């Protein structure tokens, strides 16, 4: 059974870097999927942050203006998110998810975690 | 910048039928956007309902169906049940490794 389990601090100071890690089990992280981060700010909708492949290929939401970086560590079966220079607008529920390339959709999601940016 | 549009809210009676749509501020939605639909109930993780316009995710009831209607993607729920009260999001593949969610529709079952 495919499972995604995210971890990381739930509170980040403004201007610092938000970091999250997602551990993958039940499937090889080196399979032909993209691994993604998606967030949902309070009272708003879902926002795709970025997606990364074990080959090193990565795509990012243009609206995040170069603040985001994704990495993948195949030996630890995990992938990570770093979002720099955070502001209150980055407060959100953060989800990790699996993208099926042929279907361009997310079929497995990890449990969301609230990350709050404090001033 | 093109925005993905959805109705902010919709109300439907139990047993009724509702069609939620997913459009673009510029241009038409087609199967080449690989429209997918997600259901999110408060406190729950999003759940994929439909992918590639009309394919069902495993375990999704047949009362959910996807299509292209005119220049938009559509999610139709037939025989709405109380448990269908949720937020619904569409997502489109915009090319060049860019996926965009719509703003979501809050469905109320009265």
């Amino acid at each position: 059974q495919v499972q995604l389990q995210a971890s990381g601090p739930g509170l980040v100071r403004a201007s610092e870097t938000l970091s999250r890690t997602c551990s993958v089990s039940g499937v090889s992280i080196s399979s032909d999927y993209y691994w993604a981060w998606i967030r949902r700010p309070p009272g708003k909708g879902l926002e795709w942050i970025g997606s990364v492949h074990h080959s090193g290929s990565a795509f990012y939401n243009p609206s995040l203006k170069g603040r985001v970086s994704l990495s993948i560590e195949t030996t630890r079966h995990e992938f990570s998110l770093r979002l720099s220079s955070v502001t209150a607008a980055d407060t959100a529920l953060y989800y990790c998810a699996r993208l099926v390339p042929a279907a361009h959709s997310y079929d497995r999601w990890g449990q969301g975690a609230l990350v709050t940016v404090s001033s | 910048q093109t925005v993905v549009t959805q109705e902010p809210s919709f109300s439907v009676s139990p047993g009724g039928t509702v069609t939620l749509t997913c459009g673009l501020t510029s241009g038409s939605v087609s199967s080449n956007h690989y429209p997918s639909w997600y259901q999110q109930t408060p406190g729950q993780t999003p759940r994929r309902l439909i992918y590639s316009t009309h394919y069902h995710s495993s375990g999704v009831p047949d009362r959910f169906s996807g299509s292209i209607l005119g220049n938009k993607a559509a999610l139709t729920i037939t025989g709405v049940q109380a448990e269908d009260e949720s937020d619904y999001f569409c997502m489109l593949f915009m090319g060049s490794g860019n996926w965009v969610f719509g703003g979501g529709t809050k469905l109320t079952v009265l």
Side-chain angles (χ1 to χ4, degrees):
Chain A
Q1 182 179 354
V2 178
Q3 291 191 327
L4 287 75
Q5 181 68 47
S7 60
L11 187 64
V12 184
R13 291 184 181 273
S15 80
E16 296 189 349
T17 296
L18 179 158
S19 296
R20 306 286 299 166
T21 295
C22 187
S23 296
V24 178
S25 61
V27 64
S28 172
I29 203 169
S30 298
S31 301
D32 194 25
Y33 297 103
Y34 275 80
W35 304 95
W37 291 95
I38 295 158
R39 68 182 182 180
R40 186 172 185 184
K44 297 187 177 181
L46 295 171
E47 180 182 31
W48 169 70
I49 298 171
S51 303
V52 64
H53 190 264
H54 70 87
S55 65
S57 172
F59 300 102
Y60 302 111
N61 188 326
S63 71
L64 293 172
K65 298 177 183 177
R67 296 193 295 127
V68 62
S69 175
L70 269 58
S71 61
I72 189 165
E73 181 52 67
T74 55
T75 58
R76 291 200 298 268
H77 310 287
E78 61 186 31
F79 61 103
S80 299
L81 163 71
R82 288 175 59 85
L83 182 65
S84 62
S85 305
V86 297
T87 69
D90 295 308
T91 293
L93 279 168
Y94 283 77
Y95 299 93
C96 54
R98 182 177 79 171
L99 176 75
V100 181
H104 290 287
S105 61
Y106 300 99
D107 70 333
R108 294 288 186 273
W109 296 66
Q111 199 65 31
L114 180 64
V115 179
T116 300
V117 176
S118 65
S119 55
Chain B
Q1 182 180 354
T2 300
V3 173
V4 179
T5 61
Q6 295 185 247
E7 299 87 358
S9 62
F10 235 118
S11 295
V12 62
S13 299
T17 296
V18 64
T19 296
L20 311 181
T21 67
C22 176
L24 292 169
T25 52
S26 177
S28 299
V29 177
S30 74
S31 58
N32 292 330
H33 290 100
Y34 296 87
S36 54
W37 292 89
Y38 303 84
Q39 176 191 52
Q40 187 173 29
T41 307
Q44 300 296 314
T45 296
R47 170 196 183 196
R48 187 184 69 174
L49 299 174
I50 299 289
Y51 64 95
S52 297
T53 306
H54 58 84
Y55 293 97
H56 282 82
S57 287
S58 176
V60 173
D62 289 343
R63 64 178 183 274
F64 293 92
S65 63
S67 63
I68 299 290
L69 287 180
N71 61 351
K72 296 182 179 181
L75 175 72
T76 299
I77 312 174
T78 305
V80 171
Q81 300 183 5
E83 68 201 48
D84 298 333
E85 184 164 290
S86 293
D87 293 331
Y88 291 85
F89 296 92
C90 68
M91 188 183 74
L92 302 178
F93 174 58
M94 303 303 287
S96 302
N98 189 18
W99 293 268
V100 181
F101 285 97
T105 297
K106 182 177 182 61
L107 181 67
T108 301
V109 181
L110 298 173

